[in-house]
Amino acid sequence: MSLKTMLLLGSLLPLLALLIDLYMARKYFAAVHDIKGWEATRNWLNDRRPVLGGAAVIYLVVTGVLLYTNEVRIPGLRHESDQYLKSAGNYLKAKKYKEAVLELRNAVKANPEDTEAYLLLARSLTQIGQGRDAVESYRKVISIDGARYEPHLELSRLAFAMRESALAVAEAAEAAKLQPDKAEPHLLLSQIHDAAGKDDLSRQECRAIAGKEFAALEFRKQFINLLLKQRSFAEALQATEAGRNIAPNDISLKIKQADALAGLGRHADAEATLLAATLSDPVSSVPWSALAHHRMDRGEYVGALRGFEEALKRAPDDDLIMNNIATLTAEHGFDLARAASLASRLYMKHPRSATVADTLGWTLFLQGKADLALPLLKQGVAGIPGNPLHRYHLGASLMKVGKQGAGRKELAEALRISGTFDGAARARALLRGEV
């Protein structure tokens, strides 16, 4: 029992004495029941008035202070901060985060030690983009109750998103200490180190995840993506198999499994996995697109085009699929008219897109319309100057219209950016004058 609680209970004693005195006075008056007795009773009460009044004042002051500072909650009385929390909860359910923030600020003002209100406030502030204030709210929770796991992990995620790596690492490490069996803090640490280019530390944290259970399937998928990025294909395959034991029909897990298999050189197994994914979800375009990309990576352009066409049937307005078909069709000379139709349709929808402009411009170039292609290809380079394919397309177009110097400059820049992009061999051939 706290000292303030004891003081509150102690302040009840004078009130109890007052009630006893009143009871005794009433009993005395009832026994005597005459004018002389009444005078004696009145004098007796007057003698005790300062004591009784002082007791009442002490009781009211102590009780008011304790209730105002939220040190004591009297059963049956609604606590002010609870009311704010309940109101904030209703706003959060409706995803009205700004309104929730106002109520939660009132809650922590009413009860500065309410960790739940501070935690909800931090989450709400994050939702409305007030990261700095959210950090301070998380720190307040941790200062009151540093043994809670969630505030450390959530603060680490927020700090990582805000590119404050030192804070992100410190809080994720603290979360890992508090819950050593949890996978999420190690996943977060691995992602932070990966973003900082610290591959060894990232892999070390990945190894620490082995054998641990994820709280949600989404975190398992993030882990697999990280392994694939690190080209740890055997570990990625193992992780996808574990994930599919939990969610056997999850399409994205099947695609990640195929990526891991392809990385291990098991292309036939990857193809079979993706085909099985198309059968398990016949209405989705996603597995067909994944199958098309898998075939394209292997140089199976006809098969890849078929995959993209199947994907387009299921998502006829998908811009990315249309762009892939147009690019693939034009680049490999399958059907330039079809490529131009799709690229023109896309350009009408997205006239400011550098990628779309490059696709349409290259299609026109391949149709022998280099003059029409040139402004579109310039737009493509201006929009994404670091894309070597765009630079190659512009360089080829410039050389076609007789601007040899400018064209050679673009081709050289494309090869400087990357010597292995799709088109690098043709760029070198153009520079050597072999095309």
Side-chain angles (χ1 to χ4, degrees):
M1 183 181 295
S2 69
L3 177 62
K4 290 188 176 181
T5 302
M6 293 174 66
L7 288 173
L8 174 63
L9 295 176
S11 70
L12 297 176
L13 293 177
L15 182 62
L16 181 62
L18 172 62
L19 293 174
I20 292 172
D21 278 351
L22 289 174
Y23 172 76
M24 291 177 65
R26 181 179 177 185
K27 185 176 180 180
Y28 177 77
F29 178 71
V32 178
H33 203 68
D34 57 19
I35 297 299
K36 191 174 181 179
W38 168 246
E39 290 292 334
T41 301
R42 188 173 63 181
N43 292 336
W44 184 77
L45 288 171
N46 285 337
D47 291 341
R48 284 159 177 76
R49 186 174 296 168
V51 175
L52 299 176
V57 169
I58 291 171
Y59 171 75
L60 291 173
V61 169
V62 173
T63 302
V65 169
L66 293 177
L67 288 175
Y68 179 76
T69 58
N70 297 281
E71 290 294 333
V72 176
R73 296 174 181 239
I74 296 179
L77 295 181
R78 187 150 192 78
H79 201 270
E80 187 180 10
S81 66
D82 286 345
Q83 294 176 347
Y84 290 128
L85 272 176
K86 183 178 180 181
S87 177
N90 292 331
Y91 283 127
L92 289 173
K93 288 178 182 177
K95 296 184 178 181
K96 295 181 178 180
Y97 299 110
K98 290 183 179 179
E99 293 83 352
V101 165
L102 294 176
E103 293 298 281
L104 290 165
R105 288 194 187 281
N106 288 329
V108 297
K109 183 178 180 181
N111 183 4
E113 303 299 312
D114 193 332
T115 55
E116 191 61 29
Y118 272 113
L119 186 57
L120 291 175
L121 177 59
R123 291 168 179 169
S124 300
L125 288 167
T126 302
Q127 289 289 338
I128 61 175
Q130 295 184 16
R132 291 294 170 193
D133 290 342
V135 168
E136 293 308 312
S137 291
Y138 277 123
R139 281 177 166 158
K140 184 66 176 178
V141 178
I142 292 168
S143 70
I144 298 170
D145 185 2
R148 289 191 67 172
Y149 166 75
E150 295 85 355
H152 290 288
L153 187 65
E154 292 175 21
L155 176 54
S156 178
R157 287 187 184 133
L158 176 59
F160 182 35
M162 295 171 65
R163 298 182 180 180
E164 295 186 6
S165 299
L167 177 60
V169 168
E171 293 302 323
E174 189 63 31
K177 289 179 186 176
L178 291 170
Q179 294 284 353
D181 294 331
K182 295 282 188 181
E184 284 74 22
H186 295 287
L187 171 61
L188 190 52
L189 281 167
S190 185
Q191 291 171 327
I192 296 166
H193 293 318
D194 178 71
K198 299 177 181 179
D199 296 339
D200 291 342
L201 289 176
S202 182
R203 291 191 183 94
Q204 180 180 324
E205 293 299 333
C206 280
R207 286 192 291 271
I209 295 171
K212 291 181 170 60
E213 288 298 322
F214 287 91
L217 185 61
E218 186 58 37
F219 293 128
R220 187 180 295 274
K221 292 177 183 178
Q222 291 179 21
F223 177 48
I224 295 167
N225 286 339
L226 190 60
L227 291 171
L228 290 171
K229 183 180 179 183
Q230 294 176 352
R231 302 184 66 79
S232 301
F233 299 118
E235 292 86 350
L237 181 60
Q238 186 178 4
T240 57
E241 289 170 347
R244 289 192 62 186
N245 288 334
I246 300 169
N249 296 319
D250 190 283
I251 294 297
S252 63
L253 276 177
K254 292 179 181 179
I255 293 171
K256 294 180 196 307
Q257 186 176 27
D259 290 340
L261 288 166
L264 292 169
R266 296 167 57 181
H267 299 290
D269 291 336
E271 175 97 3
T273 300
L274 291 170
L275 284 171
T278 65
L279 294 175
S280 63
D281 190 353
V283 299
S284 174
S285 65
V286 174
W288 282 107
S289 286
L291 180 60
H293 281 291
H294 172 69
R295 288 172 174 172
M296 193 161 59
D297 289 341
R298 295 181 63 193
E300 298 176 3
Y301 300 117
V302 174
L305 186 58
R306 288 173 183 165
F308 282 130
E309 292 287 5
E310 288 293 334
L312 191 62
K313 289 178 184 177
R314 290 157 178 79
D317 295 321
D318 190 299
D319 295 340
L320 183 58
I321 296 173
M322 280 193 283
N323 191 72
N324 287 333
I325 292 174
T327 302
L328 190 59
T329 302
E331 194 70 39
H332 298 281
F334 294 127
D335 187 344
L336 290 175
R338 166 104 169 119
S341 174
L342 287 172
S344 297
R345 179 179 166 189
L346 279 171
Y347 191 73
M348 289 179 67
K349 290 175 66 177
H350 306 286
R352 296 182 180 179
S353 169
T355 301
V356 171
D358 177 78
T359 300
L360 179 56
W362 189 240
T363 303
L364 292 171
F365 172 81
L366 293 174
Q367 287 182 318
K369 303 173 182 177
D371 289 334
L372 294 176
L374 199 55
L376 292 165
L377 295 173
K378 286 180 179 179
Q379 180 183 340
V381 169
I384 314 178
N387 188 314
L389 190 62
H390 289 193
R391 293 277 188 176
Y392 158 63
H393 289 166
L394 178 58
S397 181
L398 286 167
M399 292 186 74
K400 187 71 173 180
V401 298
K403 298 181 179 180
Q404 299 294 319
R408 293 180 67 85
K409 182 179 178 181
E410 291 296 331
L411 293 174
E413 180 62 18
L415 291 169
R416 187 195 66 79
I417 295 170
S418 171
T420 59
F421 73 94
D422 186 19
R426 286 170 290 176
R428 292 189 183 95
L430 278 170
L431 284 172
R432 291 193 300 263
E434 297 174 358
V435 179

